[in-house]
Amino acid sequence: MKILVNGAIAVPLSPNGQYYGCERLAYEYTIKFKELKHDVSLVAVEGSILPEGIELISAVQNNEQDSYTRYASRLKEFDVILDLSHQHWPALNVEGLPVVNIFWHDPYLAKFPEPKYNMIAISQYAKKVFEEVYKQEAYYQETIEVDPEVYQLGYGNSNRFLAVGKMSQEKGNLEAVRLARKLGVSLDVVGGRMPTDPDDYEALVKFLAYGNIKCWGNTTDQAKIALMQNAKALIYPVYQLEIHSHKSCEAMMCGCPVITYNFGAMKEVIGEGGIVVDTEEEFLRAMKNISLDREKVRQYAVDRWSCGRIVEDYITLLEKVANGRRW
């Protein structure tokens, strides 16, 4: 198939670039599709570096509308489009386009105009809330994929906790620092500031990261994976409803259990790979007593998010959409 992957456009992408969420996921899907002998183009920020044989369609950073004007005339060249962007300009502007639209945000927090067809919910929770708010069907398809050959098992040798998330209040890095200080435990904090995020939150996290707490800022995938392999647990005191958690899946693939609050889809996602709590007291108790079998945590993640299975499922779905499937 000739596939267009429309990615999120916050940062440029490259093989050894720093870690980001939706952007990196679009990049990985593109590579996997190419490995399966499909003809693939990726919409990504101008200056991105892609493997040979993958076409880069240069986007305007953080401007999906202006980016759309750069590739709109080409949409009908493709057999199918996988749209991992936030605003879904292709399906909103071209009727009947063979496209699969991923929606990323809990609509009770951020309601964007959405296409009237082919919406993908990435969790059962997301499917439920999308249909409540938009009054239209969303098709549940597990979308987060993690490569078990890259995210290999680690045994938590550092005895340090880990927090991962972009430097904004809703992702809970500052709260993670507070909880670690309250217990007197060691903590590593990983996360970069998106261009649209204010810099005062990141500055405060860095200011408080002293002693047994270290703020690494944004890192490469390799550095992040090493921290996950060695961490005692990933703590994620998230402050907003989440319809999934990419970072949690990656941590569990490394055998690193996750401790988080029971918001949104977190209980559905974490399952056997961690502890989901309702109160701060329970969160602190979980940090004190975490002792899950890391091999079982990894196996749970492999069974749910192994990239081979997820990408094959998407190829099957994209083939159906290319042949006229609509919902």
Side-chain angles (χ1 to χ4, degrees), residues 10 21 25 32 69 72 95 100 125 130 134 142 144 161 186 233 236 248 252-253 265 297-298 304:
L25 193 60
K32 296 296 190 300
T69 65
E95 186 175 351
V100 172
Y125 170 82
F130 182 87
Y134 287 96
E142 187 62 67
I144 304 302
F161 289 94
S186 300
Y236 190 32
S248 296
M252 289 184 280
M253 190 68 79
V297 170
R298 173 177 165 82
R304 284 197 66 176

Side-chain angles (χ1 to χ4, degrees), residues 163-217:
V164 176
K166 76 184 185 82
M167 289 295 181
S168 57
Q169 183 176 358
E170 70 273 11
K171 295 300 182 181
N173 286 331
L174 192 59
E175 178 67 1
V177 171
R178 188 183 71 81
L179 292 172
R181 290 222 175 278
K182 195 165 187 177
L183 283 182
V185 297
S186 300
L187 174 70
D188 292 300
V189 182
V190 170
R193 181 172 60 85
M194 291 294 191
T196 54
D197 291 329
D199 59 6
D200 54 347
Y201 184 87
E202 181 182 31
L204 184 55
V205 173
K206 289 181 175 180
F207 177 75
L208 294 173
Y210 58 86
N212 58 353
I213 297 175
K214 181 172 182 178
C215 181
W216 294 81

Side-chain angles (χ1 to χ4, degrees), residues 31-44:
I31 291 171
K32 296 296 190 300
F33 291 159
K34 182 64 178 178
E35 290 173 352
L36 292 171
K37 310 302 182 186
H38 296 283
D39 183 358
V40 193
S41 301
L42 173 63
V43 176

Side-chain angles (χ1 to χ4, degrees), residues 18-19 31 42 56 60 77 82 107 134 145 157-158 176 183 192 198 208 255 271 300 318:
Q18 293 179 315
Y19 170 74
I31 291 171
L42 173 63
L56 170 66
V60 182
E77 293 179 19
L82 176 59
Y134 287 96
E145 56 91 6
N157 297 324
S158 72
L183 283 182
L208 294 173
Y300 167 73
L318 292 174

Side-chain angles (χ1 to χ4, degrees), residues 11-268:
V11 295
L13 298 170
S14 66
N16 299 311
Q18 293 179 315
Y19 170 74
Y20 291 94
C22 301
E23 292 78 11
R24 194 73 188 179
L25 193 60
Y27 180 85
E28 290 167 358
Y29 267 106
T30 302
I31 291 171
K32 296 296 190 300
F33 291 159
K34 182 64 178 178
E35 290 173 352
L36 292 171
K37 310 302 182 186
H38 296 283
D39 183 358
V40 193
S41 301
L42 173 63
V43 176
V45 175
E46 190 168 8
S48 294
I49 301 171
L50 307 184
E52 185 176 353
I54 297 174
E55 180 193 15
L56 170 66
I57 298 177
S58 295
V60 182
Q61 189 171 25
N62 291 317
N63 191 323
E64 292 189 12
Q65 182 175 3
D66 285 354
S67 297
Y68 175 72
T69 65
R70 294 188 172 189
Y71 62 85
S73 64
R74 298 188 53 195
L75 289 172
K76 294 189 178 179
E77 293 179 19
F78 300 93
D79 297 315
V80 68
I81 299 163
L82 176 59
D83 193 342
L84 294 100
S85 71
H86 295 290
Q87 296 179 13
H88 304 120
W89 278 86
L92 284 170
N93 287 278
V94 182
E95 186 175 351
L97 203 63
V99 58
V100 172
N101 302 293
I102 315 299
F103 103 91
W104 295 109
H105 303 285
D106 190 306
Y108 285 117
L109 296 178
K111 185 179 179 182
F112 298 111
E114 295 289 11
K116 297 298 184 184
Y117 70 103
N118 286 19
M119 295 300 301
I120 291 288
I122 63 176
S123 65
Q124 292 288 2
Y125 170 82
K127 175 179 172 63
K128 174 177 176 289
V129 297
F130 182 87
E131 292 175 354
E132 285 175 355
V133 172
Y134 287 96
K135 308 302 181 187
Q136 68 185 74
E137 180 183 3
Y139 182 86
Y140 166 59
Q141 176 72 46
E142 187 62 67
T143 300
I144 304 302
E145 56 91 6
V146 187
D147 190 340
E149 296 300 315
V150 175
Y151 290 77
Q152 294 190 2
L153 177 66
Y155 289 96
N157 297 324
S158 72
N159 203 36
R160 297 174 65 85
F161 289 94
L162 175 64
V164 176
K166 76 184 185 82
M167 289 295 181
S168 57
Q169 183 176 358
E170 70 273 11
K171 295 300 182 181
N173 286 331
L174 192 59
E175 178 67 1
V177 171
R178 188 183 71 81
L179 292 172
R181 290 222 175 278
K182 195 165 187 177
L183 283 182
V185 297
S186 300
L187 174 70
D188 292 300
V189 182
V190 170
R193 181 172 60 85
M194 291 294 191
T196 54
D197 291 329
D199 59 6
D200 54 347
Y201 184 87
E202 181 182 31
L204 184 55
V205 173
K206 289 181 175 180
F207 177 75
L208 294 173
Y210 58 86
N212 58 353
I213 297 175
K214 181 172 182 178
C215 181
W216 294 81
N218 205 359
T219 65
T220 62
D221 281 333
Q222 292 82 358
K224 177 201 62 180
I225 291 167
L227 288 168
M228 287 178 168
Q229 290 168 332
N230 288 304
K232 188 173 184 178
L234 175 74
I235 59 173
Y236 190 32
V238 62
Y239 268 130
Q240 69 172 19
L241 295 169
E242 296 270 69
I243 63 171
H244 214 294
S245 175
H246 194 178
K247 67 182 71 65
S248 296
C249 303
E250 293 173 323
M252 289 184 280
M253 190 68 79
C254 295
C256 178
V258 180
I259 304 171
T260 188
Y261 285 117
N262 188 16
F263 281 140
M266 296 311 297
K267 194 166 189 177
E268 173 188 344

